[in-house]
Amino acid sequence: MEEKTFFEHENVKVTNARFLVGEQTFAMSNITSVSSSQDRHSRVGPIILLIVGFVMCCASIVVAGLIVMAVGVLWLMLQKTKYHVMLRTSGGETKALTSEREDLVRNVITALNDAIVHRG
């Protein structure tokens, strides 16, 4: 039987027989289910810095307050949600792919589900 490709982008490929992520290969026959998860960063720290900076500015400590606020804004901007492709096998669950691109993870999961259905 010829191998059918369901998804291919950069170092990720999903076929009816294999799921390749970089140098790692997962046999589709061992995958029982696929899901997604995400890691969101806490926004509490950066928001506290923004509030402290604002209070400092109101208390006439303007330069230091602006610096503290700038650090808070930078911290918020650098926080990125990480999205994961989770594979379940008879051996347990593993994070097979991690990306900051939700659309990539969603497309890979769709392709993996299609490959599982195709496998029968």
Side-chain angles (χ1 to χ4, degrees):
M1 183 164 131
E2 188 174 317
E3 195 167 9
K4 179 180 177 183
T5 300
F6 291 90
F7 180 85
E8 189 167 8
H9 179 73
E10 294 176 359
N11 66 339
V12 179
K13 184 175 183 178
V14 178
T15 73
N16 59 313
R18 302 175 291 153
F19 173 38
L20 295 99
V21 181
E23 300 294 319
Q24 200 167 19
T25 302
F26 300 92
M28 289 303 297
S29 60
N30 294 333
I31 299 172
T32 56
S33 68
V34 181
S35 64
S36 66
S37 70
Q38 56 184 291
D39 296 334
R40 291 187 185 172
H41 297 279
S42 172
R43 308 278 194 238
V44 174
I47 290 171
I48 288 173
L49 281 181
L50 289 170
I51 292 169
V52 168
F54 179 75
V55 169
M56 290 171 75
C57 286
C58 291
S60 298
I61 311 171
V62 179
V63 174
L66 290 174
I67 292 170
V68 171
M69 288 176 65
V71 170
V73 168
L74 183 62
W75 189 0
L76 274 173
M77 290 173 44
L78 292 175
Q79 290 184 329
K80 303 279 186 201
T81 301
K82 302 268 194 233
Y83 301 93
H84 310 285
V85 173
M86 305 298 295
L87 299 181
R88 280 184 213 60
T89 66
S90 58
E93 187 174 59
T94 185
K95 285 182 189 173
L97 172 67
T98 299
S99 176
E100 292 177 356
R101 291 185 46 209
E102 183 180 16
D103 62 323
L104 173 66
V105 169
R106 197 174 328 121
N107 290 337
V108 169
I109 288 172
T110 299
L112 286 166
N113 283 322
D114 291 345
I116 289 170
V117 168
H118 183 267
R119 175 181 84 203

